[in-house]
Amino acid sequence: MSNGPYGQLACRCGAVSLLVCGAPLGVGRDATDAPVTFWPLAAIQLGQGGDELELLPDERGGEAWHCRRCDERLLHGDDEADVAVLAGLPEDTDGTGVALTTSRQRRLEALGYRVAAKT
Ligand SMILES: [Zn+2]
């Protein structure tokens, strides 16, 4: 295991990039049944484009992080759950246990996400 960046997220136009570090908290599905990965907010670091990154309040709660220039949404952040929701699944899901507390899971479910149960 390494503490280096897990990966990088960039918007379509390339103005904003975010570094994702550490390990995901779990995986699930969003309201449209698309796969998502839950990360601690602290795992997300700004790579570049701080001036172009805008946090917009989401109607369901939390904030959409998006690029002012191309309007692409990079992730959904929720302060209450302290979770960042990224589209897609981690490349290696084998080691991904669900590390979400029950209250975090409830909060995410209230936002319309379904947390995948690890069986
Ligand atoms: Zn952009």
Side-chain angles (χ1 to χ4, degrees):
M1 299 296 283
S2 113
N3 290 325
Y6 173 87
Q8 195 169 359
L9 271 180
C11 67
R12 224 173 3 246
C13 77
V16 177
S17 72
L18 301 172
L19 299 174
V20 185
C21 301
L25 295 166
V27 297
R29 300 262 167 181
D30 71 7
T32 62
D33 208 35
V36 292
T37 307
F38 306 112
W39 292 81
L41 273 179
I44 313 297
Q45 295 170 15
L46 182 65
Q48 64 171 15
D51 292 343
E52 308 295 339
L53 179 68
E54 189 171 29
L55 274 59
L56 294 176
D58 190 283
E59 57 193 15
R60 291 171 302 163
E63 289 160 328
W65 294 31
H66 88 129
C67 171
R68 284 181 216 265
R69 217 182 278 179
C70 67
D71 204 33
E72 178 158 345
R73 202 184 92 167
L74 289 152
L75 61 84
H76 181 99
D78 188 75
D79 286 335
E80 188 176 325
D82 193 24
V83 165
V85 182
L86 273 63
L89 296 174
E91 279 168 30
D92 174 17
T93 53
D94 292 346
T96 306
V98 174
L100 291 160
T101 60
T102 307
S103 61
R104 270 177 160 171
Q105 284 199 37
R106 285 213 190 97
R107 172 68 183 159
L108 289 169
E109 282 161 8
L111 292 169
Y113 297 106
R114 279 182 289 128
V115 178
K118 196 83 174 175
T119 52

